[in-house]
Amino acid sequence: MSDTHRHDDSNDHAQGSHGHSHGLTRSAETEGISDARLLWSFALNQLLTVGQIVGGIYSGSLALLSDAAHNFNDANALLIAYIARRVSRRDANQRYTFGYRRAELIGAVINLTTLAVIGLYLVYEAVMRFFNPEPILGWVMGGVALLALVVDVATALLLWAMAKGSLNVRAAFVHNITDALGSVAVLIGAGLVLWLGWNWVDPLLTLLIAGYVLWQVAAMLPKAVNILMEGTPPDMNLDEVRRAMCAVEGVASMHHLHVWQLDENRNALEAHVVVPDAMPADRREAIRFELKQLLSQRFAVQHSTIEMEAADASHCNDGERQGVGT
């Protein structure tokens, strides 16, 4: 690698540090919040799961048992969120030079994937219950649902502030909101079973809960997977980035352009920029600085690596100059 490129890396880290201090929502809003909230939420939801299982078996309510299964997954999601959050704070080292921030995304993928499995299972159980209805004790179903709602609201209050700046915690928070909605639905359903004898409401509520679960998974899982796959940020147009960079005075052409997300709050970019052969070194550095400022301010790219090349000295082969990302 050329000296020019090495010099660029040092500038890049300085620029990235500046972007980190001002651009990360999580640092500004959630880093000072105690992780003990996640542990308290985990304990509350595990206790609630036990109560829902006992109440569901005793009352014969599939919706209550479904909510218990969902809540058990939520409790595990909170534990995973806690572990991932702790791991993500480790400093960068020689093995993981970007740090451990993506550990939270791995936790989010695990949480959302298991939530999808549970959602599909609930759909299956609800359909089967329509064909094979069972008697339900509405008063037990309603009492446990009311207890679950109290716990869900308490957990939501614990997680609200933490969920603003972390996809991982936000996934766990959505789990909890789903539980709260499910508890309200089960409570209403218990009233209908108790007063009107509408036992068919139980599997219907289960289908509604499962549908909401799967809808949330469909909205959040692709975002986490896109980051782990180093996909282009969804709100960024790569052609627009290319045009903006090429419009900077002194840039003859560019290639080897790649944009990806380091985590949910930081974008990264690398590119080879070709300048005229006779351009002085100080002018090249001025163009590099201008490009970095452009990327940071217009496209929210906090970490950029730009290699400057003279047209007659470009070491990239023809294959690297072709395609969207090159």
Side-chain angles (χ1 to χ4, degrees):
M1 188 176 294
S2 66
D3 291 339
T4 301
H5 198 182
R6 285 196 295 269
H7 179 67
D8 169 68
D9 287 341
S10 64
N11 286 344
D12 174 55
H13 288 297
Q15 179 78 9
S17 298
H18 177 79
H20 179 83
S21 63
H22 294 281
L24 293 187
T25 303
R26 186 183 130 184
S27 295
E29 297 186 11
T30 66
E31 286 295 347
I33 300 174
S34 173
D35 290 344
R37 294 189 183 196
L38 287 169
L39 291 181
W40 276 109
S41 300
F42 167 73
L44 284 173
N45 280 269
Q46 286 289 32
L47 290 174
L48 175 60
T49 298
V50 174
Q52 286 179 314
I53 291 174
V54 173
I57 293 174
Y58 185 73
S59 68
S61 170
L62 175 62
L64 203 53
L65 286 173
S66 299
D67 203 32
H70 181 202
N71 197 71
F72 176 73
N73 181 71
D74 285 356
N76 291 334
L78 291 166
L79 182 61
I80 292 172
Y82 172 79
I83 295 172
R85 190 172 171 87
R86 298 283 292 185
V87 170
S88 71
R89 289 200 182 101
R90 294 182 181 179
D91 294 332
N93 53 41
Q94 291 186 358
R95 183 174 179 83
Y96 297 105
T97 56
F98 280 115
Y100 292 78
R101 292 293 295 271
R102 283 191 177 181
E104 288 200 277
L105 291 167
I106 295 173
V109 170
I110 294 172
N111 290 343
L112 293 167
T113 301
T114 53
L115 192 59
V117 172
I118 287 177
L120 293 173
Y121 173 75
L122 295 183
V123 171
Y124 168 78
E125 287 293 333
V127 171
M128 296 302 295
R129 183 62 68 92
F130 276 117
F131 292 101
N132 299 288
E134 297 182 9
I136 300 170
L137 296 178
W139 65 272
V140 176
M141 178 182 173
V144 176
L146 181 60
L147 174 63
L149 181 59
V150 171
V151 174
D152 291 334
V153 171
T155 305
L157 292 174
L158 287 171
L159 296 180
W160 169 252
M162 299 178 72
K164 295 179 181 179
S166 167
L167 182 62
N168 174 45
V169 179
R170 190 155 62 249
F173 178 75
V174 168
H175 281 222
N176 179 253
I177 292 299
T178 304
D179 269 351
L181 294 174
S183 297
V184 172
V186 173
L187 187 59
I188 295 173
L192 295 175
V193 170
L194 187 62
W195 294 316
L196 301 176
W198 291 357
N199 287 5
W200 53 266
V201 170
D202 186 65
L204 177 61
L205 289 174
T206 303
L207 285 176
L208 292 175
I209 294 171
Y212 181 78
V213 167
L214 295 174
W215 178 72
Q216 288 292 333
V217 170
M220 296 178 65
L221 186 58
K223 180 177 180 180
V225 171
N226 184 69
I227 297 175
L228 291 176
M229 290 294 294
E230 297 187 336
T232 301
D235 58 346
M236 185 177 296
N237 186 311
L238 203 60
D239 290 333
E240 183 180 352
V241 173
R242 185 188 300 273
R243 286 194 297 268
M245 294 180 68
C246 288
V248 172
E249 184 178 358
V251 174
S253 64
M254 63 177 300
H255 51 273
H256 200 70
L257 173 63
H258 299 277
V259 185
W260 69 101
Q261 292 178 275
L262 297 173
D263 53 49
E264 60 183 304
N265 294 305
R266 290 185 298 171
N267 297 327
L269 175 147
E270 67 174 15
H272 290 200
V273 175
V274 179
V275 296
D277 300 346
M279 179 173 287
D282 59 344
R283 176 55 187 154
R284 293 189 188 188
E285 290 304 311
I287 291 175
R288 190 204 312 274
F289 178 79
E290 185 176 348
L291 288 169
K292 285 179 172 291
Q293 290 292 105
L294 168 71
L295 293 169
S296 176
Q297 296 172 7
R298 181 172 171 181
F299 298 102
V301 173
Q302 292 85 5
H303 185 104
S304 56
T305 302
I306 300 174
E307 180 168 351
M308 309 297 291
E309 298 178 357
D312 64 345
S314 177
H315 57 268
C316 294
N317 59 44
D318 291 338
E320 286 183 303
R321 294 178 179 271
Q322 299 174 1
V324 173
T326 57

